[in-house]
Amino acid sequence: MKIIVLGSGVIGTTTAYYLAQAGHDVTVIDRQPAAGMETSYGNAGEISPGYASPWAGPGVPAKAVKWLMMQHSPLVVRPKLDPNQWRWMLSMLANCNHKSYAINKGRMVRLAEYSRDVLVQLRKDTGIAYDERSQGTLQLFRNQKQLDGAATDIAVLEQYGVPYKVLDPAGCEAYEPALKNVRGKFVGGLLLPNDETGDCFKFTQKLAEMAKELGVKFRHGVEIRRLSVEGDKVVGVVTSQGELKADSFVLALGSYSPFVLKQIGIHIPVYPVKGYSITVPITDAAGAPESTVMDETFKVAITRLGDRIRVGGTAELAGYDLSLHQARRDTLEHSVTDLFPRGGDVSKAEFWCGLRPMTPDGTPVVGPTPYRNLFLNTGHGTLGWTMACGSGRVLADMVSGRQPEIGLEGLFMDRYGRRNKPVLVPGGITVTA
């Protein structure tokens, strides 16, 4: 089939690659000058299936109030006169209970674990390199209450067979030797040994080149204005360079997906949650992290990427504002210099922000729509890099009429943003809850 993919971030690019592998004629459209230039550019660098969790969980409302009072808050809310913002926050609060958390985490872990396996195979098949490391993630707890609270996550990890280790301070230091320099600042950690790290931007750019070798055409600098529909079918996409036709369409526009979908009567609860990062040149390799350390107190990820340290975090609800706020940089600098004071020179760091496309329940929207040739791959939140290869492969299988290799329960929505409605996809596969 002739297929158009809307968006060339890590999600759109992986989707295009796997569609081309399946033999389709693929064109990717994006307003940016190259692949991976928006949210995929400066993310935290984690590929963390074991850490795949919804932000909506038991006790989060109380924690949120506490976070908002902190000097280095992991959460910032800038209220807008926008009903979508308030609707999203209320829906997230409705998911802050044990039952919803277990369901949502299970869905996320299923896709994330599969995605890691697909990425491993891609690496074997192509030799793609992107400052990758396969040394796991250490969730670092600064106090006993945080360590005790990990029991809920551990129960879900055990349910899905995800390897983990609970470490005492000495165990944390054995895994991350540079933490010996700050002994006494943490009480333990949760190690997820199968997690990986890597530069998402480098990966996206290199995979785009590999996709071109398979025949994928990238049309950059092209604005997407609307979809043209006839009955239950999309017939074209109207752009700044005219209308383009195809047999099927995949929408992977991240936080901007709702604008295009709303015009054709589809409403998905994806809202931008701004995240920040700094990229710090390493000055002392022995004083830098070996892999990823997640600072549980400030919800900041500190990741080794070659000769750099990527420090990412903060959840800022501020609509589509891309302003860089010094207070957010201060939080990132505080976390990395408090735990790895000898690692890098923060005065020379690159400061960046991006809009994470979040759903209230944390699970992305991957799959068919009420339009029989339109598919969605969006809403991955902080886990776009973690879930990219798996989401792209699942989507390519569905478009091609093949049964995906994992269960699809909970991954797609109807036109009103409700999950698990039966939809018929090409090839006669009925996707049901």
Side-chain angles (χ1 to χ4, degrees):
M1 290 185 290
K2 183 176 182 180
I3 300 171
I4 290 178
V5 176
L6 308 180
S8 68
V10 68
I11 300 297
T13 301
T14 52
T15 303
Y17 176 83
Y18 285 110
L19 284 168
Q21 266 206 331
H24 300 294
D25 177 3
V26 183
T27 299
V28 180
I29 305 172
D30 197 289
R31 65 184 179 182
Q32 294 295 339
M37 296 300 294
E38 294 199 28
T39 305
S40 302
Y41 179 79
N43 69 16
E46 297 174 271
I47 303 168
S48 302
Y51 200 70
S53 302
W55 286 10
V60 166
K63 289 179 183 178
V65 173
K66 179 182 177 182
W67 289 334
L68 290 170
M69 303 300 177
M70 291 169 57
Q71 177 185 357
H72 296 294
S73 175
L75 174 65
V76 177
V77 179
R78 303 186 191 280
K80 302 280 184 180
L81 293 175
D82 178 5
N84 293 321
Q85 183 189 59
W86 293 96
R87 191 180 300 115
W88 187 92
M89 287 192 291
L90 289 172
S91 183
M92 181 182 174
L93 288 173
N95 278 277
C96 291
N97 57 78
H98 289 282
K99 181 179 179 181
S100 296
Y101 181 82
I103 291 171
N104 295 330
K105 184 175 177 68
R107 292 169 175 169
M108 296 169 73
V109 168
R110 180 194 344 133
L111 179 58
E113 286 279 311
Y114 174 67
S115 187
R116 186 207 47 238
D117 294 342
V118 175
L119 174 59
V120 169
Q121 188 62 50
L122 175 68
R123 225 169 29 234
K124 289 179 180 177
D125 292 343
T126 67
I128 189 170
Y130 44 91
D131 286 337
E132 71 281 357
R133 291 190 174 206
S134 302
Q135 296 173 238
T137 295
L138 175 64
Q139 187 176 3
L140 197 67
F141 304 116
R142 291 178 181 259
N143 58 64
Q144 190 63 40
K145 185 176 180 180
Q146 292 173 347
L147 182 56
D148 294 341
T152 301
D153 282 338
I154 289 172
V156 179
L157 294 175
E158 290 182 342
Q159 179 184 352
Y160 287 90
V162 180
Y164 72 90
K165 293 181 181 178
V166 178
L167 303 180
D168 61 11
C172 294
E173 293 171 10
Y175 173 73
E176 284 285 357
L179 290 175
K180 294 177 182 177
N181 299 321
V182 293
R183 186 171 296 166
K185 290 191 175 182
F186 51 91
V187 300
L190 177 64
L191 175 63
L192 301 165
N194 284 2
D195 285 5
E196 301 186 6
T197 60
D199 188 323
C200 181
F201 176 64
K202 281 188 176 182
F203 173 87
T204 305
Q205 292 249 304
K206 290 188 177 184
L207 192 66
E209 292 303 314
M210 292 179 181
K212 289 176 184 177
E213 293 174 3
L214 293 176
V216 176
K217 297 172 283 294
F218 284 81
R219 298 187 60 168
H220 288 290
V222 179
E223 293 184 9
I224 297 161
R225 294 177 176 167
R226 62 182 176 85
L227 296 173
S228 297
V229 300
E230 291 180 5
D232 65 348
K233 187 177 181 181
V234 175
V235 295
V237 54
V238 178
T239 75
S240 57
Q241 296 183 7
E243 185 171 4
L244 304 176
K245 304 283 188 176
D247 300 310
S248 290
F249 299 80
V250 178
L251 190 144
L253 292 174
S255 295
Y256 297 91
S257 301
F259 293 114
V260 176
L261 293 173
K262 183 179 179 181
Q263 297 173 350
I264 59 172
I266 297 177
H267 301 271
I268 59 171
V270 170
Y271 192 78
V273 178
K274 184 160 63 170
Y276 293 82
S277 75
I278 55 174
T279 304
V280 184
I282 291 175
T283 53
D284 178 1
E290 289 295 322
S291 187
T292 290
V293 172
M294 172 60 70
D295 186 344
E296 180 64 17
T297 297
F298 303 108
K299 301 293 185 182
V300 168
I302 305 168
T303 301
R304 177 77 162 262
L305 295 178
D307 59 357
R308 302 159 294 150
I309 303 172
R310 177 68 53 75
V311 188
T314 303
E316 183 173 303
L317 285 162
Y320 290 83
D321 173 34
L322 285 168
S323 302
L324 289 166
H325 296 282
Q326 181 62 37
R328 306 285 71 76
R329 177 170 183 154
D330 293 343
T331 296
L332 300 176
E333 290 187 0
H334 172 74
S335 180
V336 68
T337 57
D338 193 49
L339 293 177
F340 298 96
R342 304 177 188 175
D345 185 352
V346 295
S347 69
K348 296 179 180 178
E350 177 188 5
F351 188 30
W352 172 90
C353 71
L355 301 178
R356 310 179 185 108
M358 298 282 297
T359 61
D361 61 11
T363 308
V365 186
V366 182
T369 71
Y371 294 92
R372 56 189 175 91
N373 64 336
L374 174 64
F375 298 80
L376 305 184
N377 203 354
T378 186
H380 296 75
T382 59
L383 296 167
W385 183 203
T386 295
M387 296 180 172
C389 287
S391 297
R393 177 64 183 274
V394 164
L395 211 289
D397 285 342
M398 282 194 283
V399 173
S400 303
R402 298 193 301 259
Q403 183 66 51
E405 295 177 330
I406 61 170
L408 303 176
E409 181 274 325
L411 296 185
F412 56 92
M413 292 181 170
D414 66 8
R415 67 170 64 246
Y416 305 109
R418 299 175 304 198
R419 293 196 182 272
N420 306 327
K421 295 295 178 182
V423 179
L424 189 68
V425 302
I429 301 170
T430 303
V431 184
T432 58

